[in-house]
Amino acid sequence: MPAFSSRLRYGAVAQLFHWTTVVLVITAYLLGEGGPQSRVYAPERAFTLSAHETLGVLVLLLTVLRLAWRAMDRTPDNIPMPRLMLIASRAVHGLLYVLLLALPLTAIFGAWFQGHPVTLFGGVLPIGPLTAVDGAFGNSLADVHGTLGNAILWVAGLHAAAALLHHFVMRDRVLMTMLPGRSATDA
Ligand code: HEM
Ligand code: HEM
């Protein structure tokens, strides 16, 4: 499969970014836990929290690289569909990118403003706090992070449902553009 996207399909690199992000976001979501700081930062939860933070930071790095790659790559041609549906799909993609950036950033700055380091790889790599400590602001950011964490699941769920609707009901190629394939005619 070619690295770059074609008129018919996202390329291998764009697909790898997409599907790796899906796995990381879902796993980070499952490991994310709210509640008071005494619970979030309890020593017996340290490993789970670090796994959550590591996956989330990877999502941030991947998203930055993905957007850089997207700027150099093309995107597949629009598939014929009602104009409003096309606009809605582009809006949802934009919103997903915003969430993929805002979700880790609110968490990282939330933790730092609360006075906690971000601990990567099971605590091997603690980073920060690299900001001043302001508990109230940190708590607000942590709250926003929790809300955005739930929001991305809903938006991504809607996005996935739309992809399946295109495939099984409208019977167009939308889903195929994000699945591996070789030739220009294997629609
Ligand atoms: C795609 C990435 C991420 C997703 C989907 C995600 C999702 C979540 C969810 C659903 C919660 C539970 C919120 C609640 O029930 O109140 C949570 C909490 C938390 N996450 Fe993330 N998260 C991500 C990235 C990160 C990153 C990069 C960090 C690094 C600092 C982080 C640190 C935290 C912390 C510290 C909490 C506890 C928040 C609190 O104080 O209430 N998360 N996350
Ligand atoms: C956490 C979950 C997900 C996130 C964050 C996500 C994010 C995105 C983003 C940002 C794009 C736009 C790509 C671009 O043009 O740069 C996209 C495209 C796409 N995604 Fe997802 N996605 C997720 C899950 C899924 C799932 C589960 C499916 C399939 C059931 C799916 C199917 C697609 C398809 C078919 C496209 C191409 C649509 C088009 O270009 O019109 N996605 N996704």
Side-chain angles (χ1 to χ4, degrees), residues 9-177:
R9 203 182 284 279
Y10 284 92
V13 175
Q15 290 201 19
L16 197 64
F17 277 128
H18 180 269
W19 293 111
T20 310
T21 303
V22 174
V23 174
L24 291 178
V25 168
I26 292 173
T27 317
Y29 180 84
L30 294 175
L31 294 176
E33 236 179 290
Q37 282 184 59
S38 54
R39 178 178 151 82
V40 170
Y41 293 96
E44 61 273 18
R45 282 204 71 251
F47 186 80
T48 316
L49 178 64
S50 177
H52 176 82
E53 296 190 341
T54 306
L55 295 174
V57 167
L58 282 177
V59 168
L60 178 63
L61 291 179
L62 272 187
T63 304
V64 171
L65 292 175
R66 179 175 176 183
L67 287 171
W69 176 263
R70 193 184 196 281
M72 298 185 303
D73 195 8
R74 58 162 301 147
T75 46
D77 288 349
N78 289 338
I79 284 156
M81 66 178 88
R83 211 173 104 78
L84 212 60
M85 190 180 262
L86 189 66
I87 294 172
S89 89
R90 294 296 171 263
V92 168
H93 294 169
L95 181 59
L96 284 169
Y97 278 124
V98 169
L99 287 169
L100 289 172
L101 295 172
L103 194 51
L105 286 175
T106 48
I108 293 167
F109 283 97
W112 284 347
F113 275 105
Q114 285 176 326
H116 301 290
V118 173
T119 43
L120 305 183
F121 306 111
V124 176
L125 190 62
I127 303 175
L130 301 180
T131 62
V133 174
D134 177 342
F137 183 52
N139 290 346
S140 308
L141 285 177
D143 281 350
V144 172
H145 173 67
T147 307
L148 296 184
N150 289 320
I152 200 170
L153 258 263
W154 284 102
V155 179
L158 184 80
H159 161 78
L164 297 177
L165 186 87
H166 275 281
H167 192 71
F168 292 109
V169 179
M170 298 173 68
R171 293 178 185 281
D172 61 24
R173 294 196 72 258
V174 168
L175 181 60
M176 299 309 293
T177 61

